[in-house]
Amino acid sequence: MKKIIRVVGAVIEKNGLILCAQRGIDKSLGGFWEFPGGKIEEGETPQQALEREIKEELLCKVAIKNKIVTAKHEYDFGIVELTTFFCELLSGEPKLTEHESIKWLAVSELNSLEWAPADIPTIDLLVKGV
């Protein structure tokens, strides 16, 4: 049985655009696009993990809003269980610390990027207008 890796992702909206982050080339799934976030640590709620990860990865603060979806995807290294949340940027501008690049895109443009497979169910729901 493969290890289940519980992670969270932030769908950060600003001025009608969504923040998209490209994974570092040297990381697993390098070059794929994702919603920023990371692993849920022992004793954390998904929301606490997401606030911490955004502070660490993008050096900004977000307010966690509604849950979008929890999706599972099996990779060769394990099963990723990704829960995404709508988030509002409260302070700071996202800065690159771990990602290769970031883009702000309209929902209609999200499918133009090559997304990590675990993020695709969130993209599908956003495009459908969830």
Side-chain angles (χ1 to χ4, degrees):
M1 176 108 178
K2 289 188 176 179
K3 179 181 177 184
I4 294 178
I5 305 161
R6 294 179 60 230
V7 297
V8 285
V11 177
I12 302 171
E13 189 271 337
K14 178 181 163 189
N15 299 326
L17 301 175
I18 304 288
L19 181 69
C20 310
Q22 187 178 31
R23 293 183 61 80
I25 301 303
D26 57 342
K27 298 189 181 286
S28 66
L29 301 171
F32 279 95
W33 291 82
E34 67 177 0
F35 294 109
K39 290 182 186 169
I40 301 171
E41 301 293 343
E42 187 71 36
E44 280 184 321
T45 66
Q47 293 87 342
Q48 290 168 331
L50 194 51
E51 284 181 1
R52 175 185 52 76
E53 286 285 352
I54 296 304
K55 208 175 289 182
E56 291 172 4
E57 284 185 11
L58 298 174
L59 307 177
C60 56
K61 187 174 180 180
V62 294
I64 313 296
K65 304 290 186 183
N66 299 339
K67 174 183 165 182
I68 301 170
V69 70
T70 297
K72 288 184 183 177
H73 187 81
E74 186 172 343
Y75 294 97
D76 57 355
F77 56 83
I79 298 169
V80 170
E81 182 182 278
L82 170 65
T83 302
T84 51
F85 293 87
F86 284 113
C87 296
E88 176 188 348
L89 189 59
L90 291 181
S91 63
E93 275 301 312
K95 300 199 178 10
L96 292 175
T97 64
E98 293 188 19
H99 291 95
E100 194 70 23
S101 65
I102 55 174
K103 290 182 180 185
W104 291 95
L105 295 179
V107 169
S108 62
E109 300 172 302
L110 294 177
N111 280 320
S112 68
L113 301 177
E114 188 175 6
W115 289 88
D119 289 88
I120 291 173
T122 300
I123 299 295
D124 292 344
L125 287 171
L126 292 173
V127 169
K128 287 178 186 167
V130 167

